[in-house]
Amino acid sequence: MFQQAKQNRIFQDVINQIQEAILQGRLKAGDKLPAERELKEMFHTSRGTLREALRVLEQKGLITIKTGVRGGAFVKAVSTHQVSESLDLLIRYQKLSLEDLAEFREGVEGMVTSLAAGRAKKKDIEHLKYLLKQAKIHLDEGVSHWDDFISIDNALHMALAHITGNLMYQSVLQTVHDNINKYYDKFLTKEEEIMRENYRDLCGIVEAVEDGQAAKARRLAQDHVNRFNRFMQEKEQQHGKL
Amino acid sequence: MFQQAKQNRIFQDVINQIQEAILQGRLKAGDKLPAERELKEMFHTSRGTLREALRVLEQKGLITIKTGVRGGAFVKAVSTHQVSESLDLLIRYQKLSLEDLAEFREGVEGMVTSLAAGRAKKKDIEHLKYLLKQAKIHLDEGVSHWDDFISIDNALHMALAHITGNLMYQSVLQTVHDNINKYYDKFLTKEEEIMRENYRDLCGIVEAVEDGQAAKARRLAQDHVNRFNRFMQEKEQQHGKL
DNA sequence: ACTATTAGAATGGTTTAACTATTATAAAAA
DNA sequence: TTTTTATAATAGTTAAACCATTCTAATAGT
């Protein structure tokens, strides 16, 4: 039920105090914390203990530390980076399979696209079509522009997440993309036919979103992601276990 | 493109070496690392620097540290805990609105329940029915057992996530529950009628899962969560902005 | 012989004081 | 005006000691 209160650890108390200050907005992104030698006085602790606390806060993604004059600990804008990193650890430690991540992505993209279909404004549709145009350009340039094409594909999915107006979907989708893209790179063969198929998918999705057809948009998005996933899993099996 | 190579930081090198040993399986869960005073010799570094590295590894969830004789740094089984923790941090930092969180939960519960409907084994169904029985008991005990009822409700949703066999859904749903329950506590009026309605929902969901009706299960789960969310948002508006 | 107490040792937690490395800025030189 | 150089502020590292916690084994009491 409860976690053991290890309050004997001074550095933990320092971590808590600084973290709370950041989460409550008393310290804002970009703010500079006092120098270590000042902080140590403020917390009535030693420099070593203080530095252990700073290391943890750095690892949590709450601060960055720069050396040199005018250096020090600076408050960071918390981003999805730490979530991605811990997810990456899970995958590398083989607690989480690529299949699970892919299945999760399929579900999330489906929901996102379906919500976007109900909320897209005229300006949003324009932006989606702009991205489609970019995708077409890279498609016409052929398989050498595969990477450009893929990044437009990702941008389009993130644009859909943005249209939902729901930050949670945006963060989660960003994290999933960060992690799964590494494997796409490893397991996806770069063929022009695949680019072509995916381009057709994207056109269909944007059309359904424009027409407000939520169910259709969801289905298309899931199929789209699913095709990617199938290609990848075939390749993965050919490679054998890693 | 590339991250700056801050290899001037010795503790980072220590972190990398120990982390790699864990990820490659040279160090297994439960293994005990040498004592600080030995490790410091092995890495040709000072105890302070070594301890900064251990703090980071601890924060990453790769080791735990115990004091006293026979204490030390023990390799942990990597779990979803860190993903949840960093996601939690992101949610709190972004001050994610109740509406966004609730909408996201609705989607995720829908997907989870739908997947579970396609995968539930006989034993899983038995467990779900056991939970239903518990819920019924708390329901009959009346509104004084509201908290017990809610925790069974949560357990049932997590059980469904477990049935999917997909760790990603499990950790994400756990995080969402942890965060949204704070609001439920604050904004949900504890009425017997609400308990009764929710119990009916749960029965319907389990039935649909048992019959393998994925689409129906999804709809019921979404409606179920949606009713909770509506109740809560009405209350929130009565309270005014927080 | 069994149990309760106590002392010791292994281990992480903290402190202090010094030294090293990095870097922005200001002073000096070209 | 530009380039170089010196300075000072800052994080990074080291070493040695001491404190706090906890397991284990020796001891004492029954």
Side-chain angles (χ1 to χ4, degrees), chain B residues 120-177:
Chain B
K121 302 269 188 299
K122 198 177 162 190
K123 210 170 178 180
D124 298 325
I125 302 290
E126 274 171 28
H127 183 229
L128 291 178
K129 287 187 173 171
Y130 168 78
L131 288 173
L132 273 186
K133 213 185 301 174
Q134 297 295 308
K136 183 71 164 64
I137 289 170
H138 293 312
L139 175 62
D140 290 341
E141 285 166 333
V143 80
S144 63
H145 283 69
W146 168 275
D147 289 343
D148 294 326
F149 182 83
I150 291 295
S151 71
I152 293 290
D153 181 300
N154 274 324
L156 208 147
H157 286 290
M158 285 309 296
L160 290 168
H162 190 257
I163 292 172
T164 68
N166 189 328
L167 256 190
M168 195 64 204
Y169 277 115
Q170 292 170 45
S171 63
V172 167
L173 198 53
Q174 182 65 58
T175 310
V176 172
H177 281 180

Side-chain angles (χ1 to χ4, degrees), chain B residues 15-228:
Chain B
I15 293 167
N16 294 149
Q17 288 195 49
I18 297 179
Q19 171 166 317
E20 279 312 303
I22 294 174
L23 290 179
Q24 291 170 13
R26 284 183 286 140
L27 286 171
K28 293 195 175 52
D31 285 358
K32 181 179 170 316
L33 271 65
E36 288 182 358
R37 289 164 177 84
E38 288 176 62
L39 276 176
K40 131 197 132 165
E41 302 295 335
M42 294 165 71
F43 284 109
H44 295 96
T45 184
S46 69
R47 226 182 127 206
T49 300
L50 177 76
R51 282 175 59 83
E52 290 187 29
L54 292 180
R55 282 289 88 73
V56 172
L57 290 166
E58 190 183 34
Q59 174 56 34
K60 282 190 174 197
L62 292 169
I63 61 174
T64 42
I65 294 176
K66 285 199 305 187
T67 56
V69 71
R70 295 291 161 94
F74 294 85
V75 177
K76 255 174 84 169
V78 175
S79 78
T80 57
H81 183 260
Q82 299 311 309
V83 179
S84 299
E85 188 179 316
S86 46
L87 193 53
D88 180 86
L89 206 57
L90 189 62
I91 289 170
R92 288 202 280 155
Y93 182 81
Q94 292 180 330
K95 300 182 176 44
L96 219 69
S97 73
L98 179 54
E99 286 74 19
D100 282 2
L101 209 52
E103 176 176 83
F104 181 78
R105 181 185 172 190
E106 207 174 306
V108 172
E109 299 273 18
M111 295 192 298
V112 160
T113 311
S114 143
L115 284 174
R119 294 175 188 175
K121 302 269 188 299
K122 198 177 162 190
K123 210 170 178 180
D124 298 325
I125 302 290
E126 274 171 28
H127 183 229
L128 291 178
K129 287 187 173 171
Y130 168 78
L131 288 173
L132 273 186
K133 213 185 301 174
Q134 297 295 308
K136 183 71 164 64
I137 289 170
H138 293 312
L139 175 62
D140 290 341
E141 285 166 333
V143 80
S144 63
H145 283 69
W146 168 275
D147 289 343
D148 294 326
F149 182 83
I150 291 295
S151 71
I152 293 290
D153 181 300
N154 274 324
L156 208 147
H157 286 290
M158 285 309 296
L160 290 168
H162 190 257
I163 292 172
T164 68
N166 189 328
L167 256 190
M168 195 64 204
Y169 277 115
Q170 292 170 45
S171 63
V172 167
L173 198 53
Q174 182 65 58
T175 310
V176 172
H177 281 180
D178 287 348
N179 277 282
I180 216 164
N181 278 342
K182 296 176 210 160
Y183 291 104
Y184 282 158
D185 277 355
K186 210 185 290 181
F187 293 125
L188 222 47
T189 44
K190 307 182 177 182
E191 294 169 16
E192 195 158 338
E193 180 54 25
I194 296 181
M195 287 171 79
R196 204 170 302 281
E197 279 179 358
N198 281 312
Y199 177 69
R200 277 198 298 270
D201 284 350
L202 295 179
C203 290
I205 289 170
V206 171
E207 197 182 311
V209 169
E210 185 173 13
D211 297 345
Q213 298 176 287
K216 185 179 178 187
R218 160 184 244 136
R219 187 170 44 75
L220 288 174
Q222 288 197 351
D223 289 349
H224 169 69
V225 175
N226 189 260
R227 173 178 308 121
F228 258 77

Side-chain angles (χ1 to χ4, degrees), chain A residues 125 128-129 132 156 201-211:
Chain A
I125 302 290
L128 291 177
K129 288 187 171 171
L132 273 187
L156 208 147
D201 284 350
L202 295 179
C203 290
I205 289 169
V206 171
E207 197 183 312
V209 169
E210 184 173 13
D211 297 346

Side-chain angles (χ1 to χ4, degrees), chain A residues 150-184:
Chain A
I150 292 295
S151 72
I152 294 290
D153 180 300
N154 275 323
L156 208 147
H157 286 289
M158 286 308 299
L160 289 168
H162 190 257
I163 291 173
T164 68
N166 188 327
L167 260 185
M168 189 69 193
Y169 276 116
Q170 293 171 47
S171 301
V172 168
L173 200 55
Q174 181 66 56
T175 305
V176 172
H177 281 180
D178 286 348
N179 277 282
I180 217 161
N181 279 342
K182 297 180 217 156
Y183 295 97
Y184 281 157

Side-chain angles (χ1 to χ4, degrees), chain A residues 128-153 156 192 195-196 199-200 202-203:
Chain A
L128 291 177
K129 288 187 171 171
Y130 168 77
L131 288 172
L132 273 187
K133 213 185 299 174
Q134 296 296 308
K136 182 71 164 63
I137 290 171
H138 293 311
L139 175 64
D140 291 340
E141 286 165 331
V143 81
S144 62
H145 284 68
W146 169 275
D147 289 343
D148 294 327
F149 182 82
I150 292 295
S151 72
I152 294 290
D153 180 300
L156 208 147
E192 195 158 338
M195 287 171 80
R196 205 169 303 281
Y199 177 69
R200 277 199 298 270
L202 295 179
C203 290

